[in-house]
Amino acid sequence: SFYRYIIQLLPAAVIAPLFFRGEIEFGVINQSASAFSHILSDVSLVVFQFQSLAGFSATIDRLGQFVETLEAETTDGSSSITYETETEEMEEEPKMSPSSM
């Protein structure tokens, strides 16, 4: 992508005029490119992980709405949430003794 190319070219474009004027040595160009790359990779986390962060944010929003709904249900005293339970007791099978095997 264009973003990755600009990361490589920007440090050289900033430092090159200083080199051509004789204010810095050639090795400083490589040092500045390396330093820029390290700093930018840390800062670029948001750019490269934007889709994951957006999904995480949407999940947090849905969970917040769910909690608000649950809290509203408990404060009203009336619940629109219904559930059914089975009250049938299971018949217990006769246990076999070791002698009947």
Side-chain angles (χ1 to χ4, degrees), residues 39-81:
I39 292 170
L40 193 61
S41 67
D42 295 335
V43 175
S44 297
L45 178 67
V46 174
V47 172
F48 293 126
Q49 298 298 326
F50 185 78
Q51 184 176 3
S52 298
L53 291 172
F56 179 71
S57 175
T59 301
I60 295 300
D61 287 342
R62 286 192 297 270
L63 286 174
Q65 291 173 355
F66 179 68
V67 168
E68 289 173 3
T69 302
L70 288 177
E71 289 173 350
E73 293 290 333
T74 57
T75 58
D76 289 350
S78 63
S79 176
S80 61
I81 300 172

Side-chain angles (χ1 to χ4, degrees), residues 1-93:
S1 73
F2 178 73
Y3 183 75
R4 291 189 187 266
Y5 290 119
I6 198 77
I7 290 171
Q8 295 174 355
L9 297 176
L10 188 62
V14 170
I15 300 296
L18 297 173
F19 172 73
F20 290 123
R21 284 188 296 226
E23 295 177 15
I24 59 172
E25 295 180 13
F26 185 73
V28 175
I29 296 174
N30 191 28
Q31 289 174 346
S32 66
S34 178
F36 183 79
S37 175
H38 285 287
I39 292 170
L40 193 61
S41 67
D42 295 335
V43 175
S44 297
L45 178 67
V46 174
V47 172
F48 293 126
Q49 298 298 326
F50 185 78
Q51 184 176 3
S52 298
L53 291 172
F56 179 71
S57 175
T59 301
I60 295 300
D61 287 342
R62 286 192 297 270
L63 286 174
Q65 291 173 355
F66 179 68
V67 168
E68 289 173 3
T69 302
L70 288 177
E71 289 173 350
E73 293 290 333
T74 57
T75 58
D76 289 350
S78 63
S79 176
S80 61
I81 300 172
T82 59
Y83 62 93
E84 296 179 14
T85 60
E86 292 185 28
T87 57
E88 298 177 27
E89 294 180 19
M90 294 183 64
E91 293 183 22
E92 192 173 311
E93 294 183 21

